[in-house]
Amino acid sequence: MKKGLLLCIFIALFCAFNVRGQEQAQPSPTPGVAPASNGTAPTTNPSVDAAPTTVEATKVGAPAAQPVGLPSPMERAQPVRLVRFEKPPVIDGKLDDEVWNQAAVFDRFFQTQPGDNIQPSQPTIMKMGYDSKNLYLAFQASEQPGRVRATVAKRDDILEDDNVRVYLDTFNDKRRAYIFIFNPLGVQQDGIQAEGTGADYSVDVVMESRGMVTPEGYTVEVAIPFKSLRYKAGKDQPWGLHVFRNLKYHNDEENSWMPIFRDKSGFLTQQGQITGIEGITGERTLEVIPSLTLSETGKRVRALPQRVFPNDPLLSTSPDRFVNQPLDFDPGLTAKLSISSAMVLDLAINPDFAQVEADQTVITANQRFPIFFEEKRPFFLEGIDIFRTLLTPVHTRAIIDPDVAVKFTGKQGRNTYGLLFASDNAPGNYSEEERTDPDILPGIQRFLDKNSYIGVLRLKRDVGKENSLGLIATTYNFIERHNHLGGFDGRFRINPQTTLQFQVLGTHSRRFYYDPDQNRNIYRTGNALGYAYRYEMTGRHFSYGLFGNGRTRDYRADVGFTRRININNKELMLRYNSEPKTKGRLVSWQLFNLAQAQFNFQGRSQFFNNNSQVSFNFRRQSYLGFGFQQGYERIFEDEFGARRSAARAGAFAGDDNERSVNRKVFYIFAGTTPSKKYSFYTEAVYTKGAFDFDFGNGLRYPRVSPAALLDPDAPLDPGPGNELFIVAGATYQPTDTLRLSLDYTKSRLTRHDTGLVAFDDNIFAFRATQQFTRFTFLRARADYDTLAANIRAQLLFGYTPNPGTAFYVGYNDDLNRNGFNPFTGNLEPGFRRNGRTFFIKMSYLFRRSW
């Protein structure tokens, strides 16, 4: 009934509208990835403080003239008034419309990376204007012939090309800004820049852009509808603005319209301003996206329930069968109502949350804690930055398969708010095999087809110029599982170099908790506390930070993500950045040190580590770094299972109820992008004293501890070993439209006491994308995991003219190669298919304003 109604809505909308285009416990940096230095500049610089030089207006379409001098910071502190266009330009990338001669001009950029507010290698001009419907941008980027890096890339994948970027702080609060990025062909990338948390490129804004490469460089034209933005407008209402250009050929040079000072922390705090945006039509906008997914799936299932026919010979000769399921017809509907320019209501009914792009294959062997995967679903990505805080109390992937979801977000004055509700049928959505298996059915019967109910409330208030305080609350409710969370957080700027962030959360849960003293799950109430803080000073050369977080034993955040509980983690970071040399072979170098200590709420030490690193940046986007870590780690058996007593054995074999290792880690990392055709990176980490937790890693690598060699069913016997971890990758782009990449990951651990390999996993990931046009592509991918003996492949054709409108045809395959039967554990030579899916997915954006 519901699917029929949605199909009728889908057909009616097509007829009614015209077609329109468009944590593990130790949160240390990954070895080999040095924390990025703050791209800032000095408060006094002879070239910056020089008197401004007047530059005559540049003729539209002509090469930009090289500025004679640079403006003073005082000049850039004055807002730039935009001009209202009487006639809109044609967005074709040619810049030949006369209206551009009336536009506000942004020129005389500063080179901010690797240079320090010095003269750029090439001049850049941006022009800006508006009318009642759109904000218009035009870029004129000069470059010598043959040096422009531009490819026909897919949307949101252009950062390896030359590009121009605009940051629009439409509320002028220096806390949040839209990011609009364009490569020389006008391909778009967009996102949200939140001060203190960085950039999020998951947001998609409907806009129009075109670009073209010319003998003098390249030009780009853009029209951004005001109805695509959330903003505050009115007479003399300023907006914050940053404009950047990235030149890949010139050592990945970055030029900024505003000077960026390295002895000031923060990015949006150093933005310029525009004003004069008046008379914008106050429209309400309704966006409706009906979607339809048709799929035909086959999968491998058990032939017969073992409990029913325990002696049936069919179970040994044919333990499984491949079942082709009926065609699945899955309509859905999402809608967005912009109640005002700063207030949005989102609704989803049976939304299509099928992921066209699957999660990356990762190493799962010997993992104690959950692995974090980013949110990719469009409905939840709208306004997601409002809900993001230090302790991740909201991670919307906890909402797996909602029947209905509603979200209300906005900003009024100094107050930002967000409200989310979802009814998720995933907890009660069991497969047909589970429902009919007599071994499984009794344990799940009371949960069948029941939904969980999820709610999130977020409030945040701006305090002063650059500070904020916030409240957050979540609730998760299902049968025998109830969790409520609430707390407050804040971000304060102590001085131009120093910031403080903090969060305190309390949780109340009624659910099953594992009791190591009784060795069983007990249904009870649990109250708990979580906290986090970040105190960071960023200077021109020297920076430091004090970081910490902790969660008590009963802490649960069922709407969020929690990697580990019962911890107190403390960190001290020190960093030194050299003075960059723009013309030297060695452009810059960095020294970095991070000391970490962790203990639980019973006062027992869990972890200590010191990580020292040096890295070098060379010409042609090349880097090289080395590092060494030394530390200590201790684990306790009540973290893994039963706590031993006089009457009961513990979770660990032998007489010890704890284990410890001394760790030494050596690592190296390097990478280069010598041209737009080639890119390479690699990282190698060797650890002496890595823990083998003795979980076993499948039938290919059973447990190899001393206790397990004597008795495969013995208690856990964790112990130290040597681990080698390698990642490497290469990208080859033979043409502007074809991109090939191969990535390799290896992890191998050998026990000290037995000399045996606990696991050896190798993951190969191949990608090939032919981008026929900006909106049409064909992509092939294959991931091969040697430990799982598994190959996952996909062939996908896509047409995506704008956010919300898409058409995909795809085929997914899942095979074992010389793997083990999932039902019997017997080795199966050759290839065996686990599952395959053929799908067609389509959606269309209908957009109307009034």
Side-chain angles (χ1 to χ4, degrees), residues 404-559:
V404 62
V406 180
K407 182 168 55 178
F408 181 58
T409 57
K411 182 165 185 175
Q412 187 69 34
R414 289 179 169 268
N415 300 311
T416 302
Y417 47 85
L419 181 65
L420 171 65
F421 168 80
S423 175
D424 188 2
N425 65 18
N429 189 15
Y430 292 90
S431 68
E432 188 64 29
E433 290 76 20
E434 291 170 316
R435 294 168 183 259
T436 57
D437 192 320
D439 291 326
I440 299 176
L441 184 60
I444 65 173
Q445 195 157 15
R446 63 190 304 245
F447 306 113
L448 290 178
D449 300 321
K450 298 295 192 297
N451 281 26
S452 63
Y453 298 97
I454 297 164
V456 180
L457 172 66
R458 174 64 167 160
L459 300 171
K460 188 165 67 172
R461 179 171 177 80
D462 298 342
V463 179
K465 290 185 177 181
E466 301 176 30
N467 310 316
S468 62
L469 287 171
L471 299 173
I472 194 163
T474 71
T475 181
Y476 182 99
N477 295 279
F478 189 61
I479 300 170
E480 297 180 348
R481 183 179 171 187
H482 305 275
N483 174 249
H484 311 290
L485 174 150
F488 60 92
D489 61 279
R491 185 177 190 274
F492 289 86
R493 179 167 295 282
I494 310 301
N495 56 47
Q497 295 80 33
T498 310
T499 59
L500 171 66
Q501 297 182 71
F502 65 88
Q503 183 166 36
V504 178
L505 297 175
T507 68
H508 173 81
S509 304
R510 184 70 179 168
R511 57 178 294 160
F512 282 97
Y513 284 92
Y514 176 74
D515 188 331
D517 291 316
Q518 301 186 43
N519 193 26
R520 65 186 182 94
N521 291 316
I522 298 177
Y523 191 72
R524 64 176 177 85
T525 298
N527 298 314
L529 174 73
Y531 70 89
Y533 61 85
R534 293 182 62 89
Y535 180 86
E536 189 165 11
M537 191 287 292
T538 303
R540 176 178 174 81
H541 295 296
F542 178 70
S543 305
Y544 69 86
L546 297 171
F547 316 131
N549 63 84
R551 289 163 290 276
T552 58
R553 184 187 62 177
D554 289 346
Y555 180 92
R556 299 293 186 274
D558 288 349
V559 189

Side-chain angles (χ1 to χ4, degrees), residues 805-818:
T805 299
F807 178 80
Y808 298 101
V809 179
Y811 176 77
N812 296 334
D813 215 339
D814 184 342
L815 305 99
N816 285 351
R817 178 184 177 274
N818 296 331

Side-chain angles (χ1 to χ4, degrees), residues 681-702:
Y681 75 92
T682 187
E683 177 183 343
V685 185
Y686 182 72
T687 303
K688 298 182 65 175
F691 250 125
D692 170 32
F693 298 115
D694 199 27
F695 297 146
N697 296 284
L699 296 172
R700 195 174 300 275
Y701 287 97

Side-chain angles (χ1 to χ4, degrees), residues 149-154 157 161 183 185 187 676-677 731-741 767-780:
R149 295 190 184 181
T151 61
V152 183
K154 68 176 182 178
D157 192 21
D161 290 349
N183 82 348
L185 301 180
V187 182
K676 75 175 184 180
K677 285 190 175 183
T731 299
Y732 174 54
Q733 187 143 357
T735 70
D736 287 346
T737 61
L738 177 62
R739 179 177 297 184
L740 308 172
S741 67
R767 305 286 185 273
T769 301
Q770 174 64 48
Q771 196 78 30
F772 301 107
T773 68
R774 290 174 53 186
F775 310 127
T776 308
F777 67 88
L778 179 66
R779 183 171 69 222

Side-chain angles (χ1 to χ4, degrees), residues 23-25 362-364 366-373 395 560-565:
E23 167 175 269
Q24 192 161 357
V362 297
I363 300 289
T364 59
N366 205 45
Q367 289 287 332
R368 289 181 65 190
F369 307 110
I371 298 173
F372 183 87
F373 291 101
H395 182 45
F561 178 84
T562 303
R563 187 153 172 81
R564 189 176 183 180
I565 58 175

Side-chain angles (χ1 to χ4, degrees), residues 88-225:
V90 177
I91 306 302
D92 56 11
K94 295 181 181 180
L95 307 192
D96 53 1
D97 300 271
E98 287 297 325
V99 70
W100 287 121
N101 290 325
Q102 308 169 21
V105 178
F106 302 79
D107 60 2
R108 294 188 291 162
F109 281 51
F110 300 86
Q111 183 187 146
T112 57
Q113 289 290 344
D116 188 358
N117 288 344
I118 64 174
Q119 197 82 13
S121 300
Q122 295 290 336
T124 306
I125 293 177
M126 186 190 79
K127 297 188 176 185
M128 183 181 292
Y130 75 100
D131 60 19
S132 63
K133 302 289 186 180
N134 301 304
L135 182 69
Y136 299 101
L137 311 174
F139 297 91
Q140 189 174 336
S142 296
E143 184 56 277
Q144 297 181 29
R147 291 185 175 181
V148 174
R149 295 190 184 181
T151 61
V152 183
K154 68 176 182 178
R155 183 188 177 100
D156 290 339
D157 192 21
I158 62 172
L159 294 183
E160 294 305 314
D161 290 349
D162 283 4
N163 60 79
V164 287
R165 307 196 303 277
V166 172
Y167 296 77
L168 276 180
D169 179 1
T170 54
F171 289 93
N172 196 39
D173 59 10
K174 300 182 180 180
R175 294 166 175 84
R176 181 180 185 271
Y178 289 97
I179 312 172
F180 301 109
I181 310 176
F182 310 94
N183 82 348
L185 301 180
V187 182
Q188 305 166 2
Q189 182 160 346
D190 46 10
I192 295 292
Q193 177 79 29
E195 192 70 16
T197 59
D200 174 15
Y201 292 112
S202 58
V203 176
D204 286 325
V205 174
V206 178
M207 55 185 165
E208 185 180 2
S209 63
R210 294 291 186 275
M212 58 188 301
V213 178
T214 69
E216 297 82 20
Y218 64 91
T219 56
V220 177
E221 276 183 304
V222 183
I224 305 173

Side-chain angles (χ1 to χ4, degrees), residues 584-590 615-619 622-624:
R585 292 185 177 180
L586 175 61
V587 178
S588 64
W589 54 273
Q590 180 188 89
S615 58
F616 307 92
N617 293 314
F618 303 97
R619 290 182 178 180
S622 302
Y623 63 89
L624 174 66

